[in-house]
Amino acid sequence: MHSFLNRLKNFAILAAAQVLLFNHIHLFGYATAYIYLLFILKMPRFATRNEQMLWAFALGLIVDMFGNTPGINAAAATMLAFMRNYILAMFIPNGMTEDFVPGTKVLRWGAYISYAAISITLFCIVLFMLELFTLTRPMHLAIGVAGSTLLTLLFVTVIESFNKGSR
Amino acid sequence: MRALFNFLVKHNDWFLFLLLEGISLVLIVRFNNYQSATFFTSAGSMAGSVYSMFMDANRYFHLKTENDGLLAQNVALTRELSQLKEQLTELRNSETLLNDSLVKSIDSGYRFLTANIINNSLNSVNNFITLNKGSDDGVRPEMGVFNSDGIVGVVYLTSKNRSIVIPLLNSKSSISCRVKGSESFCSLSWDGGDTRYSNLIDLPRYAQFEKGDTVVTSGFSSIFPGDLPVGTVERIEDSADGMFYTVRVKLFVDFSRLTSVFIVGNDDYEEQSQLEQEITKILK
């Protein structure tokens, strides 16, 4: 029960940060940081896939409601939640059997950043493809995906190092 | 049967995945539909009220620039008013036939409302602006939106107390414009990227204009009155097929600093659009 409330708190904080702050920051007109992905990245290793997808869908939908993009963030976040366990499995050290929250306390920096980078790239590709559905501008897609992925990864790294420092 | 049941249970995460993605896709497709429900947007009650709260606080920080802009517009309008009054007296005295039609055009036509912006996106190819006025205040789709610098966009859908605007910075936006001083008109459309620029496409090659000229609304669509400022000509290029000019336009409106706007509606608009729809039907 305690962990549920804790998760709800993180959910609210990340949703608010995304819609009130990060959605309004766009570097060079292309790159936006999707900071709310931290919620999915920080799901415990043994969280069930259904659980992850339902949380991700709800969070994506709220971001959509505030950004006038109904369904787009929800679809991309659900996709990421569906794939996350596969991605995380690539970076779990040999012999590790217990449950953990992905982060630099457990994983090496390189492993954590790679895990985050692959996840965020996947999310951004799906997001921008859905957004540009009607447009045939491959350059916009490429710049948008690359810019947003790098910016999100930058924030994820900064937040991780702060988290580590405070412990 | 049992095998099928086992299969469903074993792969229940796949079905949840398909279900959630299905719901998302329905939402994506439905929002493109003009008559879509407004609940899942920032005009809906939930997101709308949160935005209103934050925007009320935010507005205080922009009061000074906002005031300066309004003051400048006030001075310009006062000057224009006195000029028009002079012209009107002259015309009254001259007793020409023009007299009647002039008075008529002043009386007929456009209604104006003011509204505050409660949400504004810039980071997508299809940006939207949310206003704090809705159908109860007399806002309806297809009304024009502008501020003291120039035009901003067109109202797309309205709920009771809020409305969503398609700004110039939306790939679906298309506004009838012309370069001041030339008669040929064309449409202004945005292709993503830099939020300070937009493009005039398919401008006839015989149009006479040069870099730095002002682009204004044509007034043909009856969404906007004619001659509202839009931007200045920044660069002139040939279109892909070489038959037209494509003009890069530097927009007057700074979309990152918008706080309040005017909404303009033409009372004759419905009549005009009905007529236009009928003729399209006949020609089909």
Side-chain angles (χ1 to χ4, degrees):
Chain A
M1 197 59 207
H2 180 70
S3 76
F4 178 80
L5 287 180
N6 212 11
R7 197 174 281 179
L8 205 61
K9 188 190 79 190
N10 290 340
F11 184 94
I13 291 173
L14 284 173
Q18 184 66 48
V19 298
L20 296 174
L21 186 63
F22 287 95
N23 265 1
H24 300 273
I25 300 174
H26 2 266
L27 246 51
F28 318 116
Y30 290 105
T32 305
Y34 295 96
I35 199 72
Y36 77 96
L37 296 183
L38 260 184
F39 187 81
I40 305 168
L41 295 178
K42 290 285 185 184
M43 283 273 188
R45 175 191 182 184
F46 289 133
T48 68
R49 200 184 242 177
N50 287 350
E51 189 187 347
Q52 292 183 43
M53 281 192 292
L54 287 171
W55 279 105
F57 179 75
L59 187 51
L61 197 60
I62 284 176
V63 173
D64 280 333
M65 283 167 80
F66 282 86
N68 281 320
T69 51
I72 292 179
N73 277 284
T78 308
M79 172 69 84
L80 173 58
F82 184 74
M83 299 297 289
R84 194 208 67 140
N85 282 1
Y86 293 132
I87 302 170
L88 183 60
M90 292 191 275
F91 299 103
I92 296 176
N94 282 337
M96 184 101 166
T97 49
E98 62 269 39
D99 197 7
F100 65 90
V101 171
T104 46
K105 261 172 76 183
V106 189
L107 306 172
R108 278 179 292 111
W109 266 102
Y112 179 68
I113 297 299
S114 316
Y115 157 68
I118 293 176
S119 306
I120 296 166
T121 310
L122 174 76
F123 171 87
C124 286
I125 288 173
V126 176
L127 185 87
F128 277 86
M129 276 187 15
L130 287 172
E131 191 164 313
L132 295 170
F133 220 68
T134 48
L135 263 85
T136 44
R137 298 284 300 259
M139 271 315 284
H140 280 219
L141 184 80
I143 297 172
V145 169
S148 297
T149 304
L150 287 175
L151 195 61
T152 310
L153 198 61
L154 178 74
F155 279 106
V156 167
T157 315
V158 168
I159 290 170
E160 186 65 26
S161 54
F162 270 106
N163 256 344
K164 208 176 180 194
S166 70
R167 265 171 206 151
Chain B
M1 192 63 208
R2 191 181 191 101
L4 179 70
F5 186 71
N6 282 341
F7 176 78
L8 288 180
V9 170
K10 197 175 162 207
H11 295 285
N12 66 62
D13 50 351
W14 282 87
F15 289 99
L16 183 68
F17 175 68
L18 290 178
L19 177 73
L20 293 179
E21 292 292 354
I23 295 172
S24 304
L25 286 180
V26 169
L27 286 174
I28 293 171
V29 174
R30 266 187 53 194
F31 187 61
N32 292 330
N33 192 339
Y34 193 77
Q35 295 295 336
S36 78
T38 52
F39 180 75
F40 284 104
T41 68
S42 60
S45 50
M46 183 183 138
S49 46
V50 175
Y51 271 140
S52 301
M53 216 165 68
F54 273 85
M55 219 50 200
D56 283 346
N58 200 7
R59 275 173 54 72
Y60 283 101
F61 297 108
H62 296 289
L63 281 181
K64 196 189 171 310
T65 41
E66 189 80 345
N67 265 341
D68 291 347
L70 287 175
L71 205 65
Q73 196 191 19
N74 215 336
V75 171
L77 286 175
T78 315
R79 194 178 299 145
E80 200 179 331
L81 182 69
S82 67
Q83 276 172 0
L84 285 174
K85 266 186 186 154
E86 256 168 50
Q87 282 174 11
L88 199 64
T89 347
E90 265 172 42
L91 282 169
R92 282 244 168 78
N93 295 338
S94 66
E95 285 179 25
T96 49
L97 275 174
L98 206 67
N99 210 336
D100 272 350
S101 70
L102 190 74
V103 173
K104 213 188 255 171
S105 75
I106 292 170
D107 288 342
S108 82
Y110 294 93
R111 282 183 302 129
F112 293 88
L113 298 161
T114 59
N116 291 332
I117 285 170
I118 56 175
N119 180 40
N120 181 9
S121 66
L122 291 170
N123 56 340
S124 121
V125 254
N126 291 319
N127 294 300
F128 293 96
I129 294 175
T130 316
L131 303 179
N132 68 343
K133 295 272 169 75
S135 51
D136 280 4
D137 306 291
V139 183
R140 44 175 180 65
E142 305 285 302
M143 281 175 111
V145 178
F146 64 100
N147 74 354
S148 47
D149 295 330
I151 64 167
V152 171
V154 177
V155 176
Y156 177 57
L157 45 86
T158 57
S159 65
K160 270 177 88 151
N161 297 314
R162 278 174 273 276
S163 49
I164 291 184
V165 175
I166 291 202
L168 301 181
L169 307 183
N170 186 310
S171 64
K172 289 175 195 157
S173 161
S174 165
I175 286 168
S176 178
C177 290
R178 64 183 179 82
V179 180
K180 205 168 187 174
S182 91
E183 289 306 310
S184 39
F185 62 97
C186 56
S187 70
L188 182 78
S189 74
W190 193 63
D191 59 354
D194 200 327
T195 57
R196 292 169 303 170
Y197 296 94
S198 185
N199 301 307
L200 282 177
I201 46 172
D202 294 350
L203 192 66
R205 288 198 84 99
Y206 54 77
Q208 296 279 326
F209 62 95
E210 54 193 50
K211 197 179 155 186
D213 280 357
T214 311
V215 178
V216 294
T217 55
S218 70
F220 287 136
S221 66
S222 82
I223 291 173
F224 287 106
D227 292 334
L228 279 179
V230 176
T232 51
V233 173
E234 177 81 13
R235 203 169 63 228
I236 305 162
E237 286 166 0
D238 294 330
S239 66
D241 57 7
M243 308 277 278
F244 299 95
Y245 286 131
T246 300
V247 176
R248 190 83 167 149
V249 178
K250 186 163 180 14
L251 300 171
F252 284 134
V253 175
D254 183 351
F255 282 84
S256 60
R257 288 172 187 277
L258 281 180
T259 50
S260 60
V261 290
F262 303 102
I263 307 176
V264 56
N266 187 338
D267 287 336
D268 300 334
Y269 176 74
E270 264 159 46
E271 200 178 329
Q272 183 178 343
S273 72
Q274 202 180 338
L275 266 176
E276 283 170 359
Q277 272 170 13
E278 266 170 40
I279 198 85
T280 335
K281 237 181 262 169
I282 293 168
L283 290 177
K284 255 180 192 173

